[in-house]
PDB file of all heavy atoms in Angstrom:
ATOM      1  N   LYS A  48      -5.673  -5.345   2.959  1.00  0.00           N
ATOM      2  CA  LYS A  48      -5.439  -4.899   1.653  1.00  0.00           C
ATOM      3  C   LYS A  48      -6.074  -3.631   1.225  1.00  0.00           C
ATOM      4  O   LYS A  48      -6.980  -3.269   1.927  1.00  0.00           O
ATOM      5  CB  LYS A  48      -5.834  -6.089   0.662  1.00  0.00           C
ATOM      6  CG  LYS A  48      -7.288  -6.450   0.625  1.00  0.00           C
ATOM      7  CD  LYS A  48      -7.513  -7.460  -0.306  1.00  0.00           C
ATOM      8  CE  LYS A  48      -9.022  -7.708  -0.463  1.00  0.00           C
ATOM      9  NZ  LYS A  48      -9.436  -8.885  -1.126  1.00  0.00           N
ATOM     10  N   ALA A 107     -33.394  34.307  22.498  1.00  0.00           N
ATOM     11  CA  ALA A 107     -32.711  34.642  21.304  1.00  0.00           C
ATOM     12  C   ALA A 107     -32.973  33.523  20.159  1.00  0.00           C
ATOM     13  O   ALA A 107     -32.425  33.693  19.065  1.00  0.00           O
ATOM     14  CB  ALA A 107     -31.218  34.687  21.518  1.00  0.00           C
ATOM     15  N   ILE A 125     -20.035  23.906  13.007  1.00  0.00           N
ATOM     16  CA  ILE A 125     -20.997  23.182  13.825  1.00  0.00           C
ATOM     17  C   ILE A 125     -21.067  21.719  13.378  1.00  0.00           C
ATOM     18  O   ILE A 125     -21.312  21.487  12.261  1.00  0.00           O
ATOM     19  CB  ILE A 125     -22.334  23.831  13.805  1.00  0.00           C
ATOM     20  CG1 ILE A 125     -22.222  25.336  14.359  1.00  0.00           C
ATOM     21  CG2 ILE A 125     -23.392  23.072  14.529  1.00  0.00           C
ATOM     22  CD1 ILE A 125     -23.482  26.066  14.338  1.00  0.00           C
ATOM     23  N   LEU A 139     -31.066  22.233  36.006  1.00  0.00           N
ATOM     24  CA  LEU A 139     -30.314  22.298  37.198  1.00  0.00           C
ATOM     25  C   LEU A 139     -29.071  21.392  37.078  1.00  0.00           C
ATOM     26  O   LEU A 139     -28.080  21.711  37.440  1.00  0.00           O
ATOM     27  CB  LEU A 139     -31.247  21.691  38.433  1.00  0.00           C
ATOM     28  CG  LEU A 139     -30.759  21.833  39.753  1.00  0.00           C
ATOM     29  CD1 LEU A 139     -30.358  23.255  40.141  1.00  0.00           C
ATOM     30  CD2 LEU A 139     -31.661  21.201  40.816  1.00  0.00           C
ATOM     31  N   SER A 140     -29.356  20.271  36.449  1.00  0.00           N
ATOM     32  CA  SER A 140     -28.179  19.305  36.249  1.00  0.00           C
ATOM     33  C   SER A 140     -27.105  19.973  35.259  1.00  0.00           C
ATOM     34  O   SER A 140     -25.957  19.935  35.485  1.00  0.00           O
ATOM     35  CB  SER A 140     -28.769  18.077  35.673  1.00  0.00           C
ATOM     36  OG  SER A 140     -27.806  17.267  35.087  1.00  0.00           O
ATOM     37  N   ARG A 239     -43.738  19.976  16.938  1.00  0.00           N
ATOM     38  CA  ARG A 239     -45.167  19.949  17.342  1.00  0.00           C
ATOM     39  C   ARG A 239     -45.993  19.035  16.561  1.00  0.00           C
ATOM     40  O   ARG A 239     -46.993  18.574  17.025  1.00  0.00           O
ATOM     41  CB  ARG A 239     -45.772  21.369  17.143  1.00  0.00           C
ATOM     42  CG  ARG A 239     -44.798  22.498  17.786  1.00  0.00           C
ATOM     43  CD  ARG A 239     -45.423  23.795  17.425  1.00  0.00           C
ATOM     44  NE  ARG A 239     -44.335  24.849  17.566  1.00  0.00           N
ATOM     45  CZ  ARG A 239     -44.404  26.087  17.069  1.00  0.00           C
ATOM     46  NH1 ARG A 239     -45.527  26.559  16.433  1.00  0.00           N
ATOM     47  NH2 ARG A 239     -43.409  26.958  17.219  1.00  0.00           N
ATOM     48  N   SER A 322     -53.618  29.703  11.110  1.00  0.00           N
ATOM     49  CA  SER A 322     -53.144  29.949   9.751  1.00  0.00           C
ATOM     50  C   SER A 322     -53.650  28.951   8.821  1.00  0.00           C
ATOM     51  O   SER A 322     -53.842  27.765   9.288  1.00  0.00           O
ATOM     52  CB  SER A 322     -51.611  30.120   9.657  1.00  0.00           C
ATOM     53  OG  SER A 322     -51.091  31.020  10.548  1.00  0.00           O
ATOM     54  N   PRO A 335     -39.415  26.903  -7.571  1.00  0.00           N
ATOM     55  CA  PRO A 335     -39.262  25.753  -8.489  1.00  0.00           C
ATOM     56  C   PRO A 335     -38.052  24.937  -8.135  1.00  0.00           C
ATOM     57  O   PRO A 335     -37.006  25.560  -7.663  1.00  0.00           O
ATOM     58  CB  PRO A 335     -39.049  26.404  -9.900  1.00  0.00           C
ATOM     59  CG  PRO A 335     -39.770  27.748  -9.771  1.00  0.00           C
ATOM     60  CD  PRO A 335     -39.564  28.200  -8.343  1.00  0.00           C
ATOM     61  N   ARG A 347     -37.190  35.707  -6.012  1.00  0.00           N
ATOM     62  CA  ARG A 347     -37.094  35.873  -4.612  1.00  0.00           C
ATOM     63  C   ARG A 347     -37.274  34.533  -3.730  1.00  0.00           C
ATOM     64  O   ARG A 347     -37.390  34.609  -2.582  1.00  0.00           O
ATOM     65  CB  ARG A 347     -38.110  36.894  -4.131  1.00  0.00           C
ATOM     66  CG  ARG A 347     -37.904  38.281  -4.866  1.00  0.00           C
ATOM     67  CD  ARG A 347     -38.533  39.445  -4.196  1.00  0.00           C
ATOM     68  NE  ARG A 347     -38.184  39.556  -2.819  1.00  0.00           N
ATOM     69  CZ  ARG A 347     -36.982  40.124  -2.449  1.00  0.00           C
ATOM     70  NH1 ARG A 347     -36.129  40.529  -3.355  1.00  0.00           N
ATOM     71  NH2 ARG A 347     -36.695  40.309  -1.147  1.00  0.00           N
ATOM     72  N   VAL A 375     -41.975  15.223   8.866  1.00  0.00           N
ATOM     73  CA  VAL A 375     -41.530  15.835  10.215  1.00  0.00           C
ATOM     74  C   VAL A 375     -41.373  14.728  11.210  1.00  0.00           C
ATOM     75  O   VAL A 375     -40.341  14.596  11.879  1.00  0.00           O
ATOM     76  CB  VAL A 375     -42.438  17.017  10.691  1.00  0.00           C
ATOM     77  CG1 VAL A 375     -42.204  17.282  12.125  1.00  0.00           C
ATOM     78  CG2 VAL A 375     -42.352  18.209   9.749  1.00  0.00           C
TER      79      VAL A 375
END
Side-chain angles (χ1 to χ4, degrees):
K48 61 178 186 194
I125 293 181
L139 188 59
S140 160
R239 309 172 202 169
S322 305
R347 303 198 54 77
V375 167

